[in-house]
Amino acid sequence: MSQKLKVGITHGDINGIGYEVILKVLEDNRMLELCTPIVYGSAKIVAAYRKMLQLPNVVFAQVRSAAEAREDANNIINVVGEEVRPEPGVSSAEAGKAAFAALEMAVADLKRGDIDVLVTAPINKKNIQSETFHFPGHTEYLEAAAGEAQARALMIMCCDRLRVALQTTHLPLKEVSEAITEDAIVEKLKVFDHALRADFRVQNPRIAVLALNPHAGDGGLLGSEEQEIIIPAIAKAREANVLAFGPYAADGFFGSSQFKHFDGVLAMYHDQGLGAFKAMSMDRGVNFTAGLNFVRTSPDHGTGYDIAGKGEASPESLREAIYTAIDIARNRSDYAEAFRHPLRKQYYEKGSDNVVLDLSGE
């Protein structure tokens, strides 16, 4: 892998804080020493927000494709027509179309290898819906884009203090219980375990599993999912050499800082894990889509309509998302190289003379 990676950055919802945080991150020229940024967006909208927010002039090289990107410059690919205008704080169908246009082109380039990693600015999950985008969010769209063989996406929110993965993502609360099955939990734990090893360089990761019900069900008094589904799933995962523990009642687990003893936490539903995570790391948290054959990260905040166009948005989460994407891409490369030619596993069968069994599967 080359030392300087091409980082594709989608502009997200053009009426949110996406352009503001992108410009604030790229105004620091040191970013060019680390990577080659390629923004999928609009040079005209960039100019509009720079003038509106009185931000320093960030110079972009306008290129037709990621393959033409200049290594020594911030690059931009125009994905929308010049007639498109930003309306800060307004949710509109036009903004949804612009968000999808950037995402679609960036994912195509990512799959072709024209960019090395993808960082997505926030979208509005409602106005982006169309005949071509009918997903609850980025995670589900990327899972489908990866193809059926790779459809094992896992949403992980990460920061320097905590990594939280979600068993279910963007589901109404009334549907969560039905979506939690023993096999589904085991699969997510396996994906999480591999991501911690390959993407975050954690050896023998310890994963805490949260309960679904209050007080972990109180032995079945407040719900049976723990006894009937979650505990058997943890046992099955441990048989597959995943160091999973629990289930833990979420309130006490976070309230007593028990999370500090684990490398990752698997939450059963969106707000169970993300409420605690964002309370601790709202400004620097990163959303990472694990389990796919490409790297995608995002800031952990939304479109920020309430502060759009006011110059108040913090760029820290987007900056961390870029750093994290680069780190994960390099970690994956190192992990693949380290395990490319593993030693053959051999042993002498007890009670036999000189019988060597090859367990490598080769």
Side-chain angles (χ1 to χ4, degrees):
M1 177 177 291
S2 61
Q3 191 168 2
K4 195 172 180 183
L5 302 184
K6 286 184 176 181
V7 178
I9 305 171
T10 57
H11 63 182
D13 191 299
I14 62 173
N15 296 334
I17 60 175
Y19 272 99
E20 179 182 344
V21 295
I22 289 170
L23 288 169
K24 285 180 175 179
V25 166
L26 297 184
E27 72 182 21
D28 187 343
N29 288 327
R30 289 176 296 182
M31 188 62 72
L32 288 174
E33 300 174 8
L34 183 64
C35 65
T36 300
I38 303 168
V39 176
Y40 293 79
S42 163
K44 195 159 189 175
I45 297 177
V46 163
Y49 271 106
R50 184 176 59 80
K51 182 178 180 180
M52 183 191 313
L53 302 173
Q54 298 183 332
L55 295 172
N57 186 25
V58 178
V59 178
F60 286 90
Q62 294 191 49
V63 295
R64 290 176 298 179
S65 69
E68 299 175 4
R70 285 176 45 185
E71 190 172 308
D72 61 344
N74 296 306
N75 299 270
I76 190 164
I77 301 173
N78 291 305
V79 300
V80 296
E82 292 195 357
E83 72 281 359
V84 177
R85 300 282 192 276
E87 300 178 85
V90 177
S91 173
S92 68
E94 187 175 64
K97 290 178 183 177
F100 180 65
L103 180 62
E104 185 178 40
M105 183 180 292
V107 170
D109 285 350
L110 183 65
K111 293 173 69 176
R112 275 196 301 268
D114 289 341
I115 57 176
D116 296 299
V117 298
L118 175 62
V119 179
T120 59
I123 59 173
N124 180 310
K125 294 178 178 62
K126 184 176 181 180
N127 69 28
I128 197 175
Q129 298 297 319
S130 68
E131 291 182 0
T132 49
F133 189 99
H134 44 81
F135 302 91
H138 275 118
T139 303
E140 295 82 1
Y141 173 79
L142 292 167
E143 183 176 72
E148 221 173 288
Q150 292 290 334
R152 302 173 67 215
L154 177 66
M155 182 175 173
I156 300 177
M157 305 298 287
C158 53
C159 64
D160 56 350
R161 303 174 62 192
L162 180 63
R163 302 181 192 94
V164 176
L166 300 183
Q167 180 63 40
T168 60
T169 51
H170 302 109
L171 275 183
L173 195 56
K174 65 181 181 179
E175 297 178 16
V176 168
S177 181
E178 288 185 9
I180 294 175
T181 66
E182 185 177 322
D183 288 343
I185 293 174
V186 172
E187 180 181 292
K188 294 291 188 184
L189 283 170
K190 288 180 178 179
V191 175
F192 199 9
D193 177 76
H194 180 75
L196 290 169
R197 294 172 188 271
D199 300 331
F200 294 97
R201 304 185 75 165
V202 178
Q203 295 186 13
N204 300 319
R206 293 166 51 88
I207 301 173
V209 180
L210 298 185
L212 174 65
N213 298 299
H215 307 293
D218 262 347
L221 179 65
L222 302 178
S224 61
E225 286 87 354
E226 285 74 22
Q227 300 294 325
E228 296 177 0
I229 299 171
I230 300 176
I231 291 175
I234 291 172
K236 188 176 289 187
R238 289 179 70 90
E239 290 174 3
N241 297 318
V242 175
L243 298 180
F245 303 87
Y248 298 98
D251 56 350
F253 181 82
F254 289 113
S256 64
S257 296
Q258 203 168 359
F259 66 88
K260 293 180 180 179
H261 302 295
F262 296 91
D263 301 296
V265 180
L266 181 66
M268 290 297 107
Y269 58 92
H270 187 281
D271 286 11
Q272 182 187 54
L274 269 56
F277 179 88
K278 292 188 177 184
M280 288 186 263
S281 303
M282 186 64 184
D283 288 338
R284 299 179 66 86
V286 174
N287 179 353
F288 164 52
T289 306
L292 304 180
N293 58 356
F294 49 71
V295 177
R296 174 262 176 173
T297 63
S298 176
D300 72 349
H301 55 70
T303 55
Y305 284 151
D306 56 327
I307 58 171
K310 298 179 181 180
E312 300 173 5
S314 168
E316 288 305 311
S317 186
L318 179 65
R319 184 178 290 113
E320 290 297 325
I322 294 173
Y323 292 159
T324 300
I326 293 170
D327 286 344
I328 288 173
R330 289 176 175 165
N331 289 344
R332 281 191 180 183
S333 179
D334 291 345
Y335 184 86
E337 181 63 30
F339 290 90
R340 194 179 305 279
H341 300 294
L343 293 174
R344 296 172 65 186
K345 299 177 183 178
Q346 299 179 345
Y347 71 93
Y348 286 94
E349 186 178 21
K350 187 176 180 181
S352 300
D353 293 330
N354 299 323
V355 177
V356 180
L357 299 182
D358 179 9
L359 303 181
S360 66
E362 299 177 358

